[in-house]
Amino acid sequence: MAQLLLIEDDERVRSALMRSLRDLGHQVSSAPDAMTGLRAAVDHRPDLVVLDLGLPDLDGSQMLRMLRGVSDVPVIVATARDDEDEIVRVLGSGADDYVVKPFTAKQLDARIQAVLRRTGGAPADPAVTVGPLRIDPRGRSAHLEGRPLDLSPKEFDLLHYLAARAGEVVAKRRLLTDVWDLPFGGADKTVDVHLAWLRRKLGETAQAPRFLHTVRGVGVKLVDPSGEAR
Ligand code: CA
């Protein structure tokens, strides 16, 4: 599954492709012209862009150069022209691959997978698993032993931050800057209070910790209580 941005001015082609790509498990957003597409590429940071070359506002190669100016997102160009020169030109302007219209969503999907593999952008599952704890940052949900945890936004951020660094002692000052966006010198109490709340929701206490271990004078680390991960 990837987050795709489809830049295509033909409304019928656009909605049909979006539907098919979603059916194939992708998340798809779209833009009807080059300028909207450029903005969306910057704002939504897609894993890959599918770019129709025949757009109303900008020539395809121009669009590619502008896109390359703001992003190194992989791009698959969709061209109606079975024109070798044109294809060579867009590949030279920074496209990663191309498909010639008409194409099926399945063909496009195969190209998408190949490009993502090649560019190393294959969207890894962003979820973090530490023993029986699973945290999904995309859905902002956390599960313990398969049961959903009811966390406040900050508790979630804190848990995700620590779980993504499982086994590593993280200084409370670093938590304040990275999780709370507070400058150095903020109150450590904030962290302690949230850690206490988090412990309660994880069914543990500071005296009998499972996941959250305080290292006195240093910070806190999250560990797999079953000891499989460090
Ligand atoms: Ca078009």
Side-chain angles (χ1 to χ4, degrees):
M1 190 199 77
Q3 301 222 41
L4 308 176
L5 170 62
L6 175 62
I7 308 176
E8 163 70 68
D9 61 319
D10 186 323
E11 213 264 306
R12 280 204 358 249
V13 174
R14 198 170 64 232
S15 51
L17 260 184
M18 283 181 80
R19 206 171 325 114
S20 307
L21 290 170
R22 280 179 181 149
D23 287 346
L24 289 166
H26 299 292
Q27 293 185 325
V28 193
S29 58
S30 74
D33 57 60
M35 293 320 284
T36 316
L38 278 173
R39 224 173 12 247
V42 171
D43 291 348
H44 304 329
R45 304 185 148 277
D47 298 317
L48 184 142
V49 170
V50 179
L51 172 66
D52 171 34
L53 278 192
L55 291 172
D57 53 342
L58 272 183
D59 162 67
S61 311
Q62 239 181 329
M63 163 67 184
L64 259 173
R65 275 195 302 273
M66 289 182 72
L67 184 59
R68 279 287 164 261
V70 293
S71 164
D72 52 10
V73 64
V75 177
I76 295 178
V77 156
T79 170
R81 293 157 265 187
D82 189 3
D83 177 342
E84 203 176 330
D85 290 346
E86 174 71 8
I87 290 164
V88 168
R89 212 152 55 85
V90 295
L91 289 174
S93 307
D96 295 274
D97 203 353
Y98 66 95
V99 282
V100 176
K101 290 181 177 178
F103 55 87
T104 65
K106 263 207 163 130
Q107 288 167 355
L108 177 58
D109 183 50
R111 297 292 180 104
I112 290 169
Q113 304 294 350
V115 167
L116 287 177
R117 266 198 308 276
R118 210 167 59 223
T119 56
D125 183 0
V128 180
T129 302
V130 182
L133 186 63
R134 182 179 164 83
I135 299 140
D136 174 11
R138 277 205 181 152
R140 288 190 68 82
S141 63
H143 288 77
L144 177 58
E145 276 135 17
R147 286 190 311 273
L149 292 171
D150 181 22
L151 303 176
S152 75
K154 271 296 172 243
E155 287 164 3
F156 179 86
D157 292 341
L158 177 60
L159 184 63
H160 179 234
Y161 188 91
L162 290 171
R165 294 160 183 76
E168 181 188 333
V169 182
V170 181
K172 288 179 186 174
R173 278 195 323 195
R174 200 171 128 205
L175 291 172
L176 282 172
T177 55
D178 290 0
V179 178
W180 275 269
D181 288 325
L182 287 174
F184 280 111
D188 279 12
K189 267 270 168 271
T190 310
V191 176
D192 290 334
V193 168
H194 280 80
L195 280 174
W197 287 338
L198 207 46
R199 281 199 167 107
R200 197 153 52 199
K201 291 183 179 176
L202 292 171
E204 63 181 57
T205 62
Q207 290 71 39
R210 288 180 68 213
F211 290 96
L212 295 169
H213 294 255
T214 303
V215 182
R216 196 178 291 277
V218 185
V220 62
K221 67 175 173 182
L222 189 147
V223 300
D224 177 0
S226 56
E228 282 156 21
R230 279 170 302 111

